[in-house]
Amino acid sequence: MSTIESASGGLAMADKLYQNRGGRARELKAQGKKVIGYFCNYPPVEFLTALDLVPFRIMGRPPKATSHADTCLETIICPYLRSCFDMALDGSYDFLDGLVVPHSCDVVQRIYDIWKYYCKPAYSHFLNVPHMTQPSSFEFFKKELALYQRSLENFTGKQISPDGLRNAIKLHNENRALLRELYEFRKLVPPLVSGTEATKILVAGLTIPAAEFNELLRSVVEEVKKRPHGSKTKRPRILLYGCEMDDITFVQLVESIGADVVIDDLCIGSRSFWLDVPKTSDPLDGLAEHYLEGIRCPRTYKPSISGHQSDLDNRFGYLLKYVKDFHVDGAILSIMMYCDTHELDVPDVKEILQKSGVKVLHLDNDYSMSNIGQLRVRIEAFLELIA
Amino acid sequence: MTEMPKERKTAVKSTETVKKVRSVVRTMYSRAHQAKEQGIPVAYCMAGCAYNEILDAMGIVPIWTENYAGLCSAKQDSERFILKAEAEGYSNLICSYARTGIGFDALRSELHGTPPGSPDGGMAEPDMLLGCSFACDPRFKWYQALGRYKNTPIYAMDVVIPSVDADMNEVREYYVKYQTEQFKGLVDFLEKQTKKKLDYDKLSDVIDTTDETYRIWWECYQLRKAIPCPMPSEDHFNAFVPGLFEAGKKETVDFYRELYTEIEQRVQNKTGVIDEEKYRLLWAGGLPPWHNMWIFNYFESHGAVFVIETMYKPPDPAKIPVIVTNPLERLAWRSILRWTEKHEKARQRSHNPEVEMILDMVDDYKIDGMVTHASKSCRASSMGQMFFMDLVKTYVKVPSLQLTSDLVDAREYSQTQWLIQIDTFLETVNSAKRGKNL
């Protein structure tokens, strides 16, 4: 019986997939499918789906400390990436048939050559993603996407037709819509889905094909709809901002102390699904637009509008909409250590949130949660401030 | 163990010509202040973005903010700026160039004027901020962050480099096209800011001058293959400044001609850096420790000379197709050729252009040992050093050492630790060399 079949109910299935990451991908591999690992939100998963490849978002394994990675990778880099690489070196990612690395940030960009050298994947591709969003940037990115598509076609010996790509886009847009539907339940006071549950569901979805994730999400939505509403007292409502948070420990900590994490701006969270790939006559145009401008990550430069306040609104105005729609009381910025891209935005993110009346807590995230005791103290104090 | 004299942080140089660079740097900052007084536009700029010629042609005076951070560190005056940035909420783990620059502008904003005693009179207040994506993310995020302290027009552009996996025949055309358009976007912004049109003929002339600068500079460094080494790396870490920041100026061409003459003479006279050059070292990665450049002299006190380096090197001569006459396209071609100069060789061998560069240098410069510097706050220059050394050593058996501190934040530097590591490393180099000679 497969991982998907053995669980009863969407939430139970999500939990099972979360606990046994890679389990479903290994099953599918045993059935003859190829599994392609990728980093970040930038490589379009639609290409993989169109070619019947299994997309697998590469994640780390906190709280396990790195060991193998320390012998060939500097310690002064993103701890998430080091954890992922550590897993690759000890064989935990041996089920991957290929690797796709985007030029998302300095560290992810540089892991490409290193991973290829030490792990020798059968297939690999580096996707150059512009940092800018001028019209020429979209044209360039479209060419890079076409190159990536050809590379996958060469690897699989199959072609992606424009209709095939449109169908894949439709499938993944359904995925995005279902996730947004799920997040609607988090707007309720109190929310019907906890941040812990949402994290498990998101992580689960990153390890299975889109069609299976859509089925899981429909099941989860049906379960959640049936939950009684309004029976619990209101707790402080938290927006969680950061980048890679593929483990429940932090969210669980916040919620165990007495708050509800009701919305996020995280790589595996809302950033990945809040906007759809637009319908365009050439699907590559839609993909270029979505993946360059639709993913709201600090690695993509948003041109300055006149004046500091306008610039903040342009870059982070969507956070204020989250604050309003999800009735946010406080924001926790959990910023990955050694991440220049996010860290250089922290004072600006704090400013726009504080000006809107939201209390903000800024924490360093070492990915392993080794400082959980200190985090507890700081979060407790923060929640008292909000209360 | 030779101890560092308490008063010495900077390196003693060997060549006379590079001693002129200090006045070049001073002039860069005083020129910007004068420009402000005269109403000439001044711009904050990032190195290596290949837009220098455009600024020269348009009469815009650049302020190289990374250079300023290095200068502050060398003058032992970066701490107050770094602490200010950290007090403003910027992590102590982010790029220390950015922390220095942000801290400087935060202090300037607070004090309503240049922080007193700033090295070389401080950075003039810019009229525009020109970021770019070349090399690392802070190079466009830093200026974006400055929006907190100044309401200055800002523009950022991409500099794109194809992966070594890419077939250049398949990608070259659209990479050149995009890069050209990125330069065009910058020109449009600058024309709007200055209300002046770019003179494309003048730009072509400036590019010609830069080409000449790079040619002579490159020739200088071929002379450094001589034994004994006529010009060490601590000299290079001054000598690169005119080439990187002022390449389009006639004075820079003259500078490298003078440097060439001096090095040539030293080669003919077999004038080395030290009396007995026992070991020839390669600075194989990472930015140097601007806060303690004396360390190069420490190596020399043990008979080890850094004869060449991978950082800030002059580009290999680039063969731009003759049909390319549009100056923006020339700049685009030059940028892409520069950053893919080792791609073809890499595809045949190591599959890594950085490694190919190191292997060529080990061979050409007769290297006995390699040293890299990993900076705590610089992912771009530090990540992958261990990997490069690993890969290099599958081809050549040359000992390596990775030192760690930071580019400019001296709090991360431990002299005791470094001296022990260096002493041990040089013993290894000595053993390896004796083993080779048996």
Side-chain angles (χ1 to χ4, degrees):
Chain A
M1 189 186 281
S2 77
T3 309
I4 295 286
E5 289 160 352
S6 64
S8 56
L11 286 164
M13 197 189 317
D15 185 72
K16 205 162 178 141
L17 289 167
Y18 171 84
Q19 303 294 348
N20 181 21
R21 294 177 210 196
R24 182 59 183 151
R26 284 191 179 84
E27 284 168 6
L28 291 166
K29 189 178 168 88
Q31 293 168 23
K33 303 262 192 195
K34 288 200 171 359
V35 184
I36 303 294
Y38 66 95
F39 279 104
C40 295
N41 283 316
Y42 290 92
V45 281
E46 286 83 352
F47 287 142
L48 302 178
T49 298
L51 287 169
D52 201 25
L53 297 164
V54 179
F56 192 94
R57 176 83 168 252
I58 295 172
M59 292 176 273
R61 58 181 169 196
K64 193 171 189 304
T66 54
S67 54
H68 304 276
D70 298 346
T71 64
C72 48
L73 197 57
E74 287 75 17
T75 56
I76 48 97
I77 66 162
C78 173
Y80 149 71
L81 203 92
R82 289 185 66 244
S83 180
C84 298
F85 187 52
D86 203 57
M87 290 177 71
L89 290 176
D90 75 11
S92 299
Y93 275 126
D94 280 356
F95 63 92
L96 296 180
D97 294 289
L99 171 75
V100 181
V101 175
H103 183 170
S104 47
C105 68
D106 294 333
V107 171
V108 169
Q109 174 200 6
R110 284 163 173 79
I111 201 65
Y112 180 66
D113 285 342
I114 300 172
W115 189 297
K116 268 180 49 183
Y117 176 71
Y118 289 104
C119 306
K120 314 266 187 277
Y123 166 80
S124 60
H125 187 84
F126 179 77
L127 178 66
N128 214 342
V129 185
H131 285 285
M132 306 303 151
T133 54
Q134 293 120 8
S136 58
S137 310
F138 290 94
E139 274 181 49
F140 171 80
F141 191 40
K142 191 177 164 186
K143 290 270 200 275
E144 277 289 300
L145 290 179
L147 186 74
Y148 173 38
Q149 180 180 338
R150 285 197 297 279
S151 155
L152 283 170
E153 288 169 345
N154 288 339
F155 172 61
T156 57
K158 295 189 236 176
Q159 299 281 307
I160 302 176
S161 67
D163 276 345
L165 190 52
R166 284 189 196 97
N167 289 338
I169 290 172
K170 187 163 173 267
L171 195 67
H172 281 277
N173 275 348
E174 277 171 21
N175 191 257
R176 294 175 181 111
L178 283 164
L179 281 165
R180 291 193 298 268
E181 187 181 345
L182 181 69
Y183 269 45
E184 284 293 314
F185 293 110
R186 300 175 77 182
K187 287 180 180 173
L188 299 172
V189 182
L192 282 189
V193 179
S194 72
T196 305
E197 286 173 322
T199 305
K200 287 186 184 179
I201 293 162
L202 290 163
V203 168
L206 294 170
T207 66
I208 57 178
E212 290 182 13
F213 192 29
N214 287 352
E215 209 180 300
L216 182 152
L217 283 170
R218 287 188 194 101
S219 173
V220 166
V221 165
E222 286 312 305
E223 277 180 64
V224 169
K225 264 185 191 165
K226 292 175 185 151
R227 284 179 167 177
H229 177 232
S231 54
K232 291 189 268 182
T233 50
K234 182 182 181 290
R235 310 198 303 172
R237 297 170 65 85
I238 302 296
L239 179 157
L240 186 52
Y241 175 93
C243 48
E244 183 74 18
M245 194 169 286
D246 50 39
D247 183 80
I248 59 171
T249 308
F250 185 82
V251 179
Q252 209 170 43
L253 174 67
V254 174
E255 294 186 323
S256 71
I257 295 172
D260 288 317
V261 176
V262 296
I263 182 64
D264 63 76
D265 186 20
L266 298 169
C267 295
I268 67 152
S270 72
R271 270 183 212 166
S272 67
F273 62 81
W274 212 250
L275 300 171
D276 282 349
V277 173
K279 226 174 171 179
T280 49
S281 57
D282 180 351
L284 282 187
D285 284 319
L287 289 174
E289 187 185 319
H290 172 75
Y291 282 96
L292 191 53
E293 211 165 32
I295 309 287
R296 290 183 284 224
C297 177
R299 57 80 59 202
T300 299
Y301 178 78
K302 286 202 93 168
S304 169
I305 310 292
S306 64
H308 179 56
Q309 191 53 54
S310 304
D311 180 54
L312 293 189
D313 291 340
N314 182 42
R315 288 158 63 202
F316 306 113
Y318 67 96
L319 290 176
L320 298 185
K321 188 142 186 356
Y322 286 167
V323 165
K324 180 167 173 272
D325 292 348
F326 289 82
H327 317 290
V328 167
D329 302 307
I332 298 178
L333 314 187
S334 175
I335 306 297
M336 194 70 71
M337 288 171 65
Y338 302 109
C339 180
D340 295 85
T341 322
H342 280 82
E343 286 281 15
L344 279 161
D345 274 357
V346 160
D348 287 342
V349 173
K350 274 175 89 167
E351 182 183 332
I352 195 171
L353 287 170
Q354 284 169 337
K355 274 186 177 162
S356 73
V358 172
K359 301 264 187 296
V360 179
L361 173 65
H362 170 205
L363 299 170
D364 285 334
N365 177 359
D366 74 354
Y367 193 65
S368 71
M369 296 290 292
S370 59
N371 57 345
I372 192 165
Q374 292 167 22
L375 290 173
R376 174 178 286 279
V377 168
R378 293 197 61 192
I379 295 167
E380 278 172 352
F382 176 62
L383 294 181
E384 278 175 31
L385 198 64
I386 297 176
Chain B
M1 182 194 304
T2 303
E3 289 295 325
M4 188 194 87
K6 281 193 169 22
E7 66 282 2
R8 181 113 230 156
K9 294 280 187 182
T10 56
V12 174
K13 317 288 187 301
S14 296
T15 55
E16 290 304 308
T17 315
V18 300
K19 290 172 187 169
K20 296 182 178 180
V21 172
R22 183 67 191 99
S23 74
V24 170
V25 172
R26 237 183 253 117
T27 305
M28 274 164 38
Y29 296 103
S30 63
R31 185 191 301 136
H33 284 292
Q34 282 163 22
K36 283 301 294 191
E37 285 164 16
Q38 293 161 14
I40 295 169
V42 169
Y44 270 6
C45 297
M46 288 290 173
C49 299
Y51 53 39
N52 307 32
E53 290 90 338
I54 295 172
L55 303 180
D56 278 350
M58 293 190 74
I60 296 168
V61 176
I63 297 174
W64 303 100
T65 49
E66 293 154 295
N67 174 267
Y68 193 70
L71 173 69
C72 289
S73 182
K75 294 292 166 198
Q76 308 300 312
D77 191 14
S78 49
E79 192 178 277
R80 56 174 161 152
F81 302 129
I82 288 174
L83 289 175
K84 180 60 178 170
E86 291 170 11
E88 291 286 302
Y90 293 97
S91 166
N92 66 348
L93 298 177
I94 62 168
C95 170
S96 50
Y97 280 171
R99 274 183 281 149
T100 306
I102 291 171
F104 177 90
D105 274 305
L107 259 182
R108 179 179 16 216
S109 174
E110 187 177 285
L111 299 172
H112 304 290
T114 303
S118 292
D120 288 7
M123 296 189 283
E125 185 68 62
D127 301 297
M128 55 195 109
L129 315 175
L130 307 176
C132 94
S133 68
F134 171 68
C136 68
D137 300 337
R139 288 150 60 81
F140 61 92
K141 299 296 294 181
W142 166 356
Y143 291 171
Q144 193 175 47
L146 290 183
R148 307 179 61 67
Y149 309 108
K150 47 174 99 269
N151 191 14
T152 306
I154 175 174
Y155 189 81
M157 56 168 264
D158 258 326
V159 172
V160 285
I161 303 170
S163 159
V164 73
D165 288 349
D167 179 349
M168 288 304 295
N169 293 323
E170 202 179 349
V171 307
R172 187 182 296 114
E173 193 184 317
Y174 73 82
Y175 268 76
V176 170
K177 182 168 189 269
Y178 181 49
Q179 196 59 69
T180 307
E181 282 161 352
Q182 286 296 290
F183 286 128
K184 183 72 179 66
L186 175 66
V187 169
D188 291 344
F189 170 81
L190 295 175
E191 286 180 341
K192 191 174 164 197
Q193 294 305 312
T194 61
K195 298 183 180 36
K196 276 193 214 168
K197 287 290 189 194
L198 169 63
D199 178 344
Y200 280 82
D201 288 336
K202 191 170 180 186
L203 177 59
S204 285
D205 290 342
V206 178
I207 295 172
D208 289 342
T209 305
T210 313
D211 282 345
E212 183 64 1
T213 295
Y214 288 161
R215 185 189 69 77
I216 302 170
W217 185 14
W218 187 84
E219 293 288 352
C220 284
Y221 283 27
Q222 306 316 299
L223 293 175
R224 294 171 69 198
K225 292 173 184 171
I227 299 172
C229 167
M231 179 184 134
S233 292
E234 62 268 29
D235 285 40
H236 157 75
F237 284 121
N238 274 249
F240 82 86
V241 169
L244 186 59
F245 300 118
E246 309 246 299
K249 293 183 165 43
K250 194 189 162 301
E251 297 88 332
T252 303
V253 176
D254 293 340
F255 171 81
Y256 287 112
R257 281 200 181 119
E258 195 178 325
L259 184 64
Y260 184 92
T261 304
E262 185 182 355
I263 299 176
E264 192 180 39
Q265 228 161 25
R266 289 173 69 92
V267 171
Q268 281 165 4
N269 298 339
K270 290 207 176 296
T271 307
V273 175
I274 51 179
D275 290 339
E276 191 193 350
E277 182 183 280
K278 289 187 202 163
Y279 317 114
R280 294 170 64 83
L281 303 182
L282 163 65
W283 184 266
L287 299 170
W290 299 116
H291 45 80
N292 270 280
M293 294 295 279
W294 172 89
I295 206 70
F296 288 96
N297 298 141
Y298 179 76
F299 275 95
E300 284 157 8
S301 70
H302 285 59
V305 177
F306 281 91
V307 304
I308 194 66
E309 54 296 306
T310 58
M311 287 304 299
Y312 301 131
K313 63 180 256 324
D316 287 351
K319 294 185 188 85
I320 299 171
V322 292
I323 59 163
V324 177
T325 52
N326 176 302
L328 294 184
E329 222 181 304
R330 273 178 77 189
L331 288 177
W333 266 95
R334 197 166 73 187
S335 175
I336 285 164
L337 284 174
R338 176 172 189 171
W339 302 117
T340 59
E341 61 190 23
K342 298 289 179 198
H343 272 36
E344 199 41 50
K345 204 164 186 181
R347 284 160 73 92
Q348 310 293 329
R349 186 165 57 165
S350 67
H351 225 77
N352 189 283
E354 188 77 20
V355 166
E356 289 302 323
M357 178 169 49
I358 294 171
L359 287 171
D360 282 348
M361 286 179 167
V362 166
D363 193 36
D364 291 343
Y365 292 82
K366 306 290 178 266
I367 297 299
D368 301 311
M370 304 177 287
V371 177
T372 66
H373 176 221
S375 292
K376 187 174 175 184
S377 73
C378 182
R379 258 58 61 197
S381 72
S382 305
M383 181 177 172
Q385 287 179 7
M386 292 164 74
F387 155 62
F388 296 148
M389 293 296 104
D390 243 7
L391 185 44
V392 164
K393 286 174 191 175
T394 64
Y395 296 98
V396 291
K397 297 285 173 254
V398 175
S400 66
L401 166 67
Q402 184 182 56
L403 296 167
T404 55
S405 73
D406 189 67
L407 325 165
V408 300
D409 189 347
R411 295 175 296 179
E412 302 299 337
Y413 171 69
S414 164
Q415 182 184 296
T416 308
Q417 198 172 339
W418 273 42
L419 298 192
I420 292 169
Q421 285 179 280
I422 291 166
D423 290 350
T424 310
F425 168 66
L426 291 176
E427 282 173 22
T428 310
V429 171
N430 182 41
S431 300
K433 200 163 176 180
R434 277 192 282 121
K436 242 196 269 180
N437 293 338
L438 287 174

